């Protein structure tokens, strides 16, 4: 059985052709699935009976099993989807006045292993398929439409952010078709500026995304210099800040917005000093020289959401405000992210997909720990420990 959630419209057209159907049939089928949430082929009455029979025999619209659902006091909903093999991924719906944002996962676990991230701490299990990525949106959209009793054409989800579990640009081949389904006028019809890919900085893939499917881009920076960023976001050792910002500048040429969002997780006494705010400002504003051209950006400060075993603390609100002021006074639009779904651990970086298979998680942790011991300890912990020591 082929899961039709796997295909963007082009691929669905190819599949339909292989079944001996006209390409426009694919568009009809695509609309049934992604605009009406249908999965029962027999009910798709505008498709020829012979085609419906073929579909019943060869295809399915396979949703992901929901392992759990939690609703927070502020209306945030967190779904835990079982993706098999002891893995689960989380999807978070964040309702706001006039819009609904869905935060989607791209991988089970994550290999980047950022110090402050629960998903990274969990280790990497596997890439999600396009079907598993789209199934999160499909479930949330049509489940919410039912619950909110929305009419035909009314949408529950107006914005998608690839900010759940995983590094989307390390699962490029599956993520791009999923983005195309989100953007497709016959699919979810979201505008490019309402779909955001957030990345820890996979430079070559930022460049490819610009050419293949430019959507809004958020870069998780978290540090104003390479020494500290090497510690917090290990991928920085491969793609240091200067290369990352150069790639982000290149992205702007085709981006749907005229700025890049910079995400910066506020860690108490690690990356939140006024001096570090000034360093970040200098980096983003640049000095007009070719060596330091800056980057048109908006900064989103994310107060760190603690999770057990991180060994890190959230910056106090005054420190976050002081940091924001430096940027703001320097002419950079800066926002402080409100923490949503706190009571159900649905906030950024708390998504760990903790489920059934504890042993597997324990194994991965042990593996990650032994890999870490291999790296020189001083280099790994250095600046972080030093900053905290100074506190
Ligand atoms: N892998 C991608 C997208 C998923 S993470 C990325 O790193 O950008 C989404 C955002 O949550 C990132 O900006 C990430 O740095 C941030 N984040 C991770 N852990 C966090 C935590 N514990 N508290 C606050 N933000 C966190
Ligand atoms: Fe992966 Fe993003 Fe978490 Fe880093 S912050 S470990 S890149 S999910």
């Amino acid at each position: 059985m082929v899961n039709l959630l796997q295909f963007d419209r082009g691929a669905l057209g190819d599949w339909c052709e292989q079944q001996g159907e006209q390409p426009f049939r694919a568009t009809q089928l695509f609309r049934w699935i992604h605009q009406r949430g249908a999965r029962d082929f027999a009910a798709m009455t505008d498709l020829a009976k012979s085609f419906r029979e073929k579909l019943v025999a060869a295809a399915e619209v396979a949703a992901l099993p929901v392992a759990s659902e939690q609703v927070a006091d502020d209306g945030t909903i967190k779904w835990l989807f079982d993706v098999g093999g002891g893995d689960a991924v989380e999807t978070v719906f964040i309702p706001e006045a006039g819009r609904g944002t869905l935060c989607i996962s791209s991988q089970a676990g994550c290999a980047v292993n950022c110090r402050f991230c629960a998903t990274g701490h969990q280790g990497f299990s596997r890439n999600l398929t396009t079907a598993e990525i789209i199934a999160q949106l499909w479930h949330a959209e049509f489940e919410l439409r039912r619950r909110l009793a929305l009419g035909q054409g009314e949408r529950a989800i107006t914005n998608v952010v690839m900010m759940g579990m995983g590094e989307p640009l390390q699962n490029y081949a599956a993520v791009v078709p999923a983005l195309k389904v989100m953007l497709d006028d016959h699919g979810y019809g979201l505008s490019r500026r309402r779909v955001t890919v957030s990345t820890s900085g996979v430079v070559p893939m930022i460049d490819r995304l610009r050419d293949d499917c430019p959507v809004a881009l958020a870069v998780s920076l978290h540090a104003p210099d390479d020494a500290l960023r090497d510690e917090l976001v290990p991928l920085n050792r491969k793609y240091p800040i200067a290369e990352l910002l150069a790639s982000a500048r290149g992205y702007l040429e085709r981006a749907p917005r005229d700025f890049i969002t910079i995400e910066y997780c506020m860690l108490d006494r690690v990356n939140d000093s006024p001096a570090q705010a000034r360093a970040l400002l200098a980096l983003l504003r640049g000095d007009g020289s070719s060596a330091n051209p800056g980057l048109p950006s908006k900064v989103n400060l994310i107060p760190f959401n603690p999770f057990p075993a991180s060994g890190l603390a959230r910056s106090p609100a005054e420190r976050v405000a002081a940091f924001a002021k430096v940027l703001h006074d320097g002419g950079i639009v800066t926002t402080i992210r409100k923490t949503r779904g706190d009571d159900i651990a649905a906030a950024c970086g708390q998504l760990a997909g903790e489920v059934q298979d504890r042993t597997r998680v324990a194994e991965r942790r042990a593996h990650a720990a032994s890999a870490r011991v291999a790296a020189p300890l001083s280099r790994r912990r250095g600046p972080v420990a030093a900053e905290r020591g100074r506190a």
Side-chain angles (χ1 to χ4, degrees):
M1 282 284 176
V2 51
N3 185 358
L4 299 184
L5 295 180
Q6 180 65 20
F7 297 139
D8 60 22
R9 196 152 51 91
L12 186 63
D14 295 343
W15 184 83
C16 287
E17 260 190 301
Q18 285 162 20
Q19 311 301 309
E21 296 292 332
Q22 298 287 334
F24 76 91
R25 294 289 175 207
T27 300
Q28 283 175 299
L29 181 55
F30 195 78
R31 292 171 67 101
W32 273 108
I33 299 169
H34 298 293
Q35 293 196 335
R36 304 178 70 163
R39 56 189 303 191
D40 174 11
F41 300 123
M44 300 180 183
T45 42
D46 58 350
L47 300 179
K49 190 144 179 285
S50 59
F51 184 30
R52 277 185 272 154
E53 281 164 2
K54 270 187 227 164
L55 286 168
V56 170
E60 60 184 345
V61 177
L64 285 173
V66 178
S68 71
E69 179 189 297
Q70 287 168 278
V71 183
D73 295 339
D74 64 7
T76 301
I77 304 176
K78 179 170 88 171
W79 286 284
L80 182 67
F81 292 105
D82 185 349
V83 293
D87 287 315
V89 297
E90 295 183 327
T91 307
V92 181
F93 174 68
I94 305 146
E96 285 169 294
R99 69 175 183 182
T101 302
L102 195 69
C103 177
I104 290 185
S105 294
S106 57
Q107 299 179 312
C110 183
V112 178
N113 197 18
C114 300
R115 281 274 326 265
F116 48 82
C117 173
T119 307
H121 195 256
Q122 178 193 21
F124 176 68
S125 187
R126 70 170 174 87
N127 279 329
L128 298 186
T129 62
T130 299
E132 289 166 333
I133 296 169
I134 284 299
Q136 299 169 60
L137 174 58
W138 189 85
H139 175 86
E141 174 66 33
F142 297 107
E143 183 59 29
L144 290 166
R145 276 196 209 178
R146 266 191 295 278
R147 283 189 205 177
L148 305 172
L150 298 182
Q152 269 292 336
E154 276 188 290
R155 283 189 203 145
I157 288 153
T158 60
N159 297 63
V160 169
V161 293
M162 300 295 300
M163 293 186 186
M165 296 166 65
E167 169 47 57
L169 296 187
Q170 285 188 340
N171 184 16
Y172 192 82
V175 164
V176 167
L179 297 175
K180 289 186 173 161
V181 174
M182 297 173 198
L183 300 175
D184 198 310
D185 282 340
H186 299 287
Y188 297 85
L190 298 173
S191 77
R192 289 181 186 279
R193 48 175 55 226
R194 287 171 176 268
V195 175
T196 302
V197 165
S198 174
T199 181
S200 56
V202 190
V203 163
M205 295 299 149
I206 294 176
D207 299 346
R208 279 185 62 185
L209 189 68
R210 174 197 59 204
D211 297 330
D212 293 343
C213 191
V215 292
L217 184 70
V219 169
S220 295
L221 197 62
H222 310 306
D225 60 80
D226 283 322
L228 179 58
R229 195 165 190 270
D230 281 352
E231 302 297 320
L232 297 176
V233 184
L235 191 64
N236 195 67
R237 295 171 198 167
K238 198 160 178 192
Y239 306 115
I241 293 175
E243 280 180 36
L244 176 54
L245 295 189
S247 161
R249 270 192 301 279
Y251 192 89
L252 275 175
E253 290 162 20
R254 297 204 47 205
R257 295 173 181 268
D258 55 6
F259 61 90
I260 300 289
T261 301
I262 297 292
E263 291 164 286
Y264 197 101
C265 177
M266 298 295 286
L267 301 162
D268 189 26
R269 311 279 157 176
V270 172
N271 65 354
D272 66 346
S273 72
Q276 286 162 321
R278 289 191 295 273
L280 178 61
L281 176 64
L283 203 60
L284 299 179
R285 212 169 46 178
D287 58 13
S289 73
S290 58
N292 185 12
L295 175 72
S297 46
K298 290 188 182 174
V299 174
N300 192 211
L301 301 175
I302 316 172
F304 171 60
N305 294 307
F307 62 94
S310 72
L312 297 162
R314 176 185 292 186
S315 304
E318 320 81 73
R319 257 175 107 79
V320 178
F323 196 97
K325 186 169 188 307
V326 171
L327 296 172
H328 182 262
D329 290 351
I332 301 216
V333 175
T334 305
T335 50
I336 299 170
R337 190 174 294 175
K338 262 193 300 181
T339 299
R340 298 291 304 258
D342 235 353
D343 49 325
I344 57 169
C348 307
Q350 291 184 315
L351 308 182
E354 307 254 5
V355 263
Q356 315 96 357
D357 195 350
R358 297 270 163 199
T359 43
R360 185 113 182 255
V361 170
E363 256 170 42
R364 271 186 238 135
R365 283 208 180 124
H367 179 75
S370 59
R372 278 202 294 267
V373 172
L377 211 63
S378 57
R379 180 167 152 70
R380 214 175 59 73
R381 297 266 179 210
V384 172
E387 277 290 331
R388 299 176 78 208
R390 246 180 265 140

